[in-house]
Amino acid sequence: MATATAESLSDAAREFASGPHGLVIGGERAEAADGRTFETIDPSTGEPICEVAQGGAEDARRAVEAARAALDGPLRKVSPSKRSGLMNTLAELIKANGEELAELESLDNGKPLAAAKGDIAATVNHLRYFAGWPTKVEGETIPVSARDVLCYTLREPVGVCAQIVPWNYPLLMATWKVAPALASGCATVLKPAEQTPLTALRLGELALEAGFPEGTLNVLTGDGETGAALVDDPGVQKVAFTGSTVVGREIGAKCGRALKRVTLELGGKSPNIILADADLEAAIKGSFQGIYFNSGQSCNAGSRLFVQSDLFDEVVGGLTEFARDAKVGPGLDPDSQFGPVVSEEQYDRVAGYIDSGLADGAEAVAGGSPGDRNGGGYFIPPTLFTGVSDEMKIAREEIFGPVLVAMPFDDLEEVARRANDTEYGLAAGLWTRDISNAHKLAAMLEAGNVYINTWGGGDPAAPFGGYKASGIGREKGHANLDAYLETKTVWTQL
Ligand code: NDP
């Protein structure tokens, strides 16, 4: 392992991060059929961590076949209560290996270790929540009109799933997908992002250690072509995707043509609204975390801030102070509050947006252009723009980095109209002490999640997903199980 950051890792994490890593297919570690590999990079240094197998179409086929073999064989024989037990065992194994997993996540993604630990705790909770479901998936008896007929429904696993996840919360996003699939009795092929494959590979190992039949959870590392080959494989019945709206549209179109089941969790440009009567201290602190947490790389980041005009200067002043004090550094440095962005590509992309904001005449009152990174890590300071109009690129497009645009407004109708003037509809937030305005505005906002006097509250039981171009379907909660189940109606002439 070349990267200097690795020196601070525990033995277990260092050993795993040394690689090289094969795919996890049918319980075995396998090289890619054509022997290709790629390097996963430490975003805190820009140096390689290790080599990982680059899956292709042939590997996608092998992984899907392994999943099908599990589904038609040993997995089918696992009772719901046993499946529940296996899921709880997996949760316990993740907890027991939590330190190692958090270090791997921090190394591969760049996020501060404390945040990575939070992701692992959320992962355990997610598995535990869905582990309660296998024994509660019930059909119905239907009171049909025909005489002497018994009509009932069965809920059956949809089949082999392709689950494609991004790099911002690698293990947690994988678990958001894997947990409901396992709870429903499906077998799955998980495709992690090329930037962050390590914890998904460890998850594949831990699922085997927990006792899931071989082939239940396969891990296919690789890039976008790998993901596309998996979506195209005719043996896949359901696709679950989290990532960009561009790729989501492509996957949705493919699934439409092939009539595969699909859920999509996509991007956002979420409005965060501070009304004149808000608890300002809480609003400023919450809004700061709402955008800059995870270095702005959250699909539900509050990236458009609307502040009632009278308070604008005070709010901007408070945010600027927080931004100035923020400690940006390597994820494994305990002093770091914010890590680097995930990759050179993402660094260039975010830096390009900052430059476009400056070129359009907006003012960076905190942060700004990160300049030359001199071959080091992908660090971008928390950046706050004022003097922004609704039409500017930085106010319209998802930046997915630590960049906030702040704009004043005067009344509720105006701010609701401007907040909704976007193709996205993932999240929206508002800060006020007036309960009537809170609910009035919450009803007016076109978003799958509305946060009142908080930002980003989440629980495995609470549905999460988007309106408009932010996605199709919901993750988390019992609604997510439906995406992994077919309904079979059985008619019996008595
Ligand atoms: P992508 O949407 O390209 O990637 C997300 C996942 O999809 C990755 O596993 C990726 O593989 C895979 N993938 C890429 N292309 C295809 C394809 N044609 N078919 C199937 N799978 C595919 O996001 P990026 O990583 O390129 O990030 C670009 C932008 O997307 C960000 O700046 C941000 O705006 C948005 N984004 C949104 C996320 C969200 O949570 N809503 C998460 C991540 C990004 P691989 O990475 O290996 O190429």
Side-chain angles (χ1 to χ4, degrees):
M1 190 173 20
T3 182
T5 321
E7 283 163 21
S8 62
L9 294 176
S10 63
D11 290 347
R14 192 179 314 115
E15 194 186 326
F16 193 83
S18 299
H21 285 289
L23 312 162
V24 180
I25 298 185
E28 305 278 322
R29 271 308 186 85
E31 287 185 14
D34 59 11
R36 279 193 303 159
T37 61
F38 66 97
E39 281 177 337
T40 183
I41 305 290
D42 173 358
S44 296
T45 62
E47 295 168 338
I49 302 171
C50 64
E51 296 278 330
V52 177
Q54 164 88 35
E58 171 64 17
D59 304 299
R61 190 189 55 77
R62 282 196 292 159
V64 169
E65 278 176 7
R68 176 44 69 184
L71 201 54
D72 291 345
L75 187 57
R76 188 166 292 255
K77 297 193 187 110
V78 177
S79 68
S81 63
K82 170 91 175 149
R83 213 161 63 234
S84 177
L86 293 175
M87 291 182 71
N88 275 315
T89 305
L90 179 57
E92 291 317 306
L93 281 172
I94 290 173
K95 189 165 183 233
N97 292 277
E99 288 285 331
E100 177 199 342
L101 284 162
E103 287 182 30
L104 291 174
E105 204 76 305
S106 177
L107 174 70
D108 214 10
N109 165 282
K111 66 176 66 194
L113 190 58
K117 285 182 183 168
D119 285 8
I120 306 304
T123 296
V124 171
N125 282 344
H126 206 81
L127 270 163
R128 283 182 181 154
Y129 169 79
F130 275 100
W133 274 109
T135 52
K136 294 159 196 80
V137 173
E138 295 170 344
E140 295 173 314
T141 42
I142 314 294
V144 294
S145 301
R147 288 176 57 183
D148 300 330
V149 165
L150 170 64
C151 182
Y152 61 94
T153 60
L154 298 171
R155 307 299 314 277
E156 298 184 340
V158 69
V160 173
C161 306
Q163 304 193 299
I164 300 173
V165 294
W167 39 258
N168 50 348
Y169 299 89
L171 184 64
L172 186 58
M173 288 302 100
T175 308
W176 277 24
K177 302 215 169 345
V178 166
L182 295 177
S184 311
C186 295
T188 186
V189 182
L190 171 67
K191 210 301 273 173
E194 65 187 288
Q195 297 84 351
T196 53
L198 295 181
T199 48
L201 288 163
R202 193 74 182 100
L203 177 68
E205 288 184 353
L206 291 175
L208 289 165
E209 196 180 325
F212 278 101
E214 293 177 355
T216 304
L217 170 55
N218 306 277
V219 183
L220 186 70
T221 46
D223 60 11
E225 277 181 33
T226 316
L230 184 58
V231 170
D232 291 341
D233 193 286
V236 166
Q237 278 80 43
K238 190 237 164 0
V239 178
F241 170 81
T242 296
S244 62
T245 293
V246 172
V247 175
R249 281 187 210 280
E250 186 184 317
I251 289 178
K254 280 183 177 177
C255 290
R257 276 196 295 277
L259 295 176
K260 292 179 182 176
R261 279 73 184 125
V262 65
T263 40
L264 303 169
E265 207 267 273
L266 310 175
K269 189 75 183 173
S270 300
N272 179 26
I273 302 165
I274 301 181
L275 300 183
D277 61 2
D279 170 349
L280 262 202
E281 200 184 325
I284 293 172
K285 206 167 158 197
S287 301
F288 185 80
Q289 286 298 327
I291 174 64
Y292 298 117
F293 183 73
N294 216 36
S295 299
Q297 303 168 118
S298 299
C299 49
N300 61 344
S303 52
R304 277 188 300 152
L305 181 66
F306 292 96
V307 186
Q308 210 145 20
S309 296
D310 293 350
L311 296 178
F312 189 76
D313 291 344
E314 199 175 339
V315 169
V316 166
L319 289 170
T320 308
E321 234 172 83
F322 273 127
R324 274 198 207 116
D325 293 347
K327 173 91 176 63
V328 181
L332 288 166
D333 177 343
D335 290 337
S336 299
Q337 198 185 349
F338 301 103
V341 296
V342 77
S343 64
E344 186 167 13
E345 189 186 356
Q346 201 59 18
Y347 178 90
D348 291 343
R349 205 168 172 268
V350 176
Y353 275 109
I354 293 174
D355 290 345
S356 108
L358 295 171
D360 285 346
E363 183 188 356
V365 292
S369 192
D372 189 355
R373 63 178 189 86
N374 294 322
Y378 312 125
F379 299 104
I380 299 183
T383 294
L384 173 61
F385 276 111
T386 57
V388 178
S389 73
D390 290 337
E391 290 71 37
M392 283 183 193
K393 201 168 147 182
I394 52 169
R396 300 210 70 79
E397 298 185 12
E398 182 178 50
I399 298 176
F400 223 68
V403 181
L404 176 64
V405 296
M407 294 172 286
F409 74 92
D410 291 315
D411 64 62
L412 275 197
E413 279 68 26
E414 174 210 333
V415 78
R417 179 182 47 73
R418 291 170 63 195
N420 290 335
D421 180 20
T422 165
E423 65 168 335
Y424 296 114
L426 188 57
L430 59 105
W431 303 82
T432 179
R433 288 195 176 98
D434 182 324
I435 195 164
S436 164
N437 277 344
H439 293 297
K440 206 167 151 193
L441 197 48
M444 288 155 93
L445 293 167
E446 296 165 355
N449 307 271
V450 175
Y451 309 124
I452 302 177
N453 295 331
T454 181
W455 190 275
D459 188 278
F464 181 87
Y467 282 23
K468 304 194 281 187
S470 288
I472 293 179
R474 291 291 178 271
E475 297 201 295
K476 308 172 92 177
H478 57 79
N480 199 193
L481 283 175
D482 287 340
Y484 292 91
L485 292 165
E486 291 283 14
T487 299
K488 180 181 278 175
T489 307
V490 181
W491 293 79
T492 319
Q493 187 67 55
L494 301 174

